[in-house]
Amino acid sequence: MAETVWSTDTGEAVYRSRDPVRNLRLRVHLQRITSSNFLHYQPAAELGKDLIDLATFRPQPTASGHRPEEDEEEEIVIGWQEKLFSQFEVDLYQNETACQSPLDYQYRQEILKLENSGGKKNRRIFTYTDSDRYTNLEEHCQRMTTAASEVPSFLVERMANVRRRRQDRRGMEGGILKSRIVTWEPSEEFVRNNHVINTPLQTMHIMADLGPYKKLGYKKYEHVLCTLKVDSNGVITVKPDFTGLKGPYRIETEGEKQELWKYTIDNVSPHAQPEEEERERRVFKDLYGRHKEYLSSLVGTDFEMTVPGALRLFVNGEVVSAQGYEYDNLYVHFFVELPTAHWSSPAFQQLSGVTQTCTTKSLAMDKVAHFSYPFTFEAFFLHEDESSDALPEWPVLYCEVLSLDFWQRYRVEGYGAVVLPATPGPSWNRAPFRKGCGVCWTVWKGSASRVPFTMC
């Protein structure tokens, strides 16, 4: 039966997994679409003289005993970074003179072992791992656009030379890096060379050799079925996505004899056993416990906890300035009045303060005295009757601006009051005070109803 629905979405899909990537398993099914796929032989009770049995058109076994249709369909399960050799690699590495690197000699030994044990099991489906030469060339020659006359930018050229799949391996001498960790005077060339992304990433390609029957091993017939990329954070990028409930993907070969192939990619990773899940839970529990102990050691044992059911109020403030007053040598006297009911403060706590005497400076048409005087205090509120819906009385901050004349006499220049804020956060001009934040204000000359506060 013909496939009526094809999957045309060949974009990337991103997954995240806490499980080790070595447990990843993919099942790849590849099949060539031919006329024999649409015709199914049904044995008839009696065939007419002028009717031809469709079985006569079936391909006959070859001299080696394999039918051609067996070469047109293949299914295999592949693990992460599992190396499956192509026919081109088998023919190449059998020649010792073609080996140039230690990896080539390792592949030659593996291929010789496969030949002695009966040959490789895969036919058309093979893989290129992270260490293969194809992966390096694929990343280096990757184009950013589909334009025929694309000119790579400076960043593209620099990124093409970066090994994004591995961490930088620097030599160590006596536990000290050979290269300097900090470059205090970087040159322009140094900045340009290091302004690139170097994310640890491993790549794997699942390939297919779609050459004609008995003509496998030619580079021009190689096609990419799926590309897998995994970084150090457990992010898995699959292109194209797993087939799942979607239709299969299709590949149309070019050339004189065009052929149509379909393939599916399914995630068949085994589920963790109950014993493994229990062991993993114990490991994470122990890890979280050790991390909790580490955080507790950083906090220490002197951390004071609030009494259950009590409210603890912290106020950090600053007297910024005073302006608009007639006389010079100003200072501010302030104090906090706590309601008598349910409010208290530590015995060592000072609920009042006096700023330094400050000489004014001319600012536009006004004279301004800059104090920058910080202060802090704390208080407790304990409501014994939790069923009461009445809001508690809130502390009030009073301030008084005074001046010192030539004869060392004190004059009251202005005064005011403001209720401390009931919610945490910054406070600004003509805004109510807020609990647990820094409070700053500028005192203006006038009555109690005209004393604005500049909050921060």
Side-chain angles (χ1 to χ4, degrees):
M1 183 177 180
E3 293 286 351
T4 57
V5 180
W6 297 96
S7 179
T8 58
D9 184 10
T10 58
E12 293 182 348
V14 180
Y15 301 90
R16 182 182 292 273
S17 175
R18 294 192 307 175
D19 198 44
V21 70
R22 63 176 180 270
N23 297 328
L24 180 63
R25 295 290 184 275
L26 300 181
R27 181 176 62 234
V28 182
H29 180 267
L30 178 67
Q31 183 180 4
R32 187 171 76 93
I33 303 300
T34 61
S35 58
S36 61
N37 298 116
F38 305 106
L39 299 176
H40 296 274
Y41 172 68
Q42 299 292 338
E46 294 182 359
L47 296 175
K49 295 181 180 181
D50 54 347
L51 297 180
I52 302 177
D53 189 358
L54 291 178
T56 59
F57 293 98
R58 290 184 176 178
Q60 299 299 322
T62 60
S64 59
H66 295 282
R67 294 178 180 270
E69 66 258 23
E70 294 181 0
D71 190 69
E72 296 175 353
E73 182 175 3
E74 184 177 4
E75 180 175 303
I76 192 168
V77 176
I78 304 173
W80 171 248
Q81 296 296 338
E82 180 180 354
K83 179 60 180 176
L84 300 178
F85 295 101
S86 63
Q87 188 61 42
F88 174 82
E89 292 176 314
V90 172
D91 298 337
L92 176 65
Y93 292 124
Q94 283 183 347
N95 185 7
E96 187 175 0
T97 58
C99 300
Q100 301 177 358
S101 64
L103 183 63
D104 295 343
Y105 285 100
Q106 177 184 344
Y107 283 169
R108 170 177 166 79
Q109 297 298 326
E110 294 179 2
I111 290 175
L112 293 179
K113 290 181 181 180
L114 288 176
E115 293 296 327
N116 295 333
S117 60
K120 61 187 184 72
K121 305 300 180 182
N122 59 305
R123 298 185 301 274
R124 294 185 178 270
I125 300 176
F126 62 97
T127 61
Y128 285 131
T129 63
D130 185 71
S131 304
D132 285 333
R133 196 175 295 113
Y134 174 85
T135 305
N136 300 333
L137 296 176
E138 180 70 15
E139 290 185 354
H140 181 77
C141 302
Q142 190 174 10
R143 304 176 67 89
M144 303 299 295
T145 65
T146 57
S149 58
E150 177 185 352
V151 179
S153 63
F154 170 79
L155 182 60
V156 172
E157 293 178 351
R158 296 303 305 174
M159 289 297 296
N161 297 326
V162 173
R163 289 284 295 175
R164 297 183 63 243
R165 297 184 304 279
R166 290 183 177 85
Q167 296 275 14
D168 291 337
R169 298 177 181 177
R170 300 176 180 177
M172 302 284 290
E173 287 185 355
I176 302 177
L177 291 172
K178 289 184 179 179
S179 60
R180 291 178 298 176
I181 299 177
V182 179
T183 303
W184 297 105
E185 298 180 358
S187 62
E188 184 177 353
E189 183 66 21
F190 177 84
V191 175
R192 289 167 62 88
N193 292 339
N194 289 274
H195 191 66
V196 292
I197 302 175
N198 192 13
T199 305
L201 197 70
Q202 287 189 328
T203 307
M204 177 181 180
H205 300 277
I206 300 178
M207 311 289 294
D209 188 346
L210 305 183
Y213 178 64
K214 288 187 176 180
K215 293 184 179 180
L216 303 181
Y218 293 90
K219 279 287 187 179
K220 61 180 179 179
Y221 296 127
E222 292 185 0
H223 291 76
V224 180
L225 300 183
C226 181
T227 300
L228 301 172
K229 297 181 180 180
V230 178
D231 65 9
S232 57
N233 298 321
V235 178
I236 303 174
T237 304
V238 184
K239 181 181 180 180
D241 192 11
F242 302 128
T243 305
L245 300 178
K246 300 180 295 185
Y249 299 102
R250 59 185 294 172
I251 298 178
E252 296 182 7
T253 60
E254 300 178 355
E256 298 179 357
K257 185 179 180 181
Q258 295 184 352
E259 294 181 338
L260 178 64
W261 295 79
K262 71 172 185 178
Y263 69 95
T264 58
I265 305 171
D266 297 307
N267 181 13
V268 293
S269 302
H271 296 283
Q273 298 297 327
E275 297 80 6
E276 296 180 357
E277 293 181 355
E278 182 63 25
R279 184 169 60 254
E280 183 178 346
R281 280 194 294 267
R282 290 197 302 266
V283 170
F284 277 110
K285 184 178 179 180
D286 181 67
L287 176 62
Y288 295 151
R290 292 178 180 273
H291 186 65
K292 183 178 179 181
E293 293 177 358
Y294 170 70
L295 295 179
S296 300
S297 64
L298 295 179
V299 174
T301 58
D302 297 334
F303 186 77
E304 183 180 355
M305 299 296 295
T306 305
V307 179
L311 172 66
R312 193 169 186 176
L313 175 65
F314 288 92
V315 176
N316 297 313
E318 179 184 6
V319 182
V320 178
S321 61
Q323 71 181 72
Y325 293 93
E326 182 179 359
Y327 295 100
D328 202 351
N329 297 327
L330 300 175
Y331 67 96
V332 178
H333 177 213
F334 60 91
F335 65 94
V336 178
E337 182 184 22
L338 296 179
T340 57
H342 310 298
W343 282 93
S344 62
S345 63
F348 61 87
Q349 180 70 66
Q350 294 183 358
L351 298 179
S352 62
V354 180
T355 67
Q356 74 278 10
T357 302
C358 183
T359 304
T360 60
K361 295 178 59 177
S362 297
L363 181 64
M365 300 298 295
D366 293 330
K367 293 183 178 180
V368 183
H370 298 279
F371 299 105
S372 299
Y373 183 86
F375 65 92
T376 180
F377 68 90
E378 59 179 297
F380 299 91
F381 174 78
L382 181 59
H383 206 304
E384 299 177 356
D385 186 7
E386 298 181 356
S387 62
S388 176
D389 296 333
L391 295 177
E393 297 183 22
W394 212 249
V396 180
L397 179 64
Y398 295 93
C399 69
E400 181 183 19
V401 181
L402 301 99
S403 64
L404 184 65
D405 64 4
F406 178 76
W407 302 101
Q408 300 299 310
R409 293 178 301 182
Y410 303 97
R411 293 185 295 254
V412 177
E413 303 292 342
Y415 51 88
V418 66
V419 179
L420 293 180
T423 55
S427 302
W428 300 94
N429 189 24
R430 297 188 184 276
F433 283 95
R434 297 186 178 181
K435 177 185 62 176
C437 68
V439 179
C440 306
W441 72 86
T442 299
V443 185
W444 295 65
K445 181 179 180 181
S447 62
S449 60
R450 295 184 63 253
V451 179
F453 290 86
T454 301
M455 314 299 175
C456 67

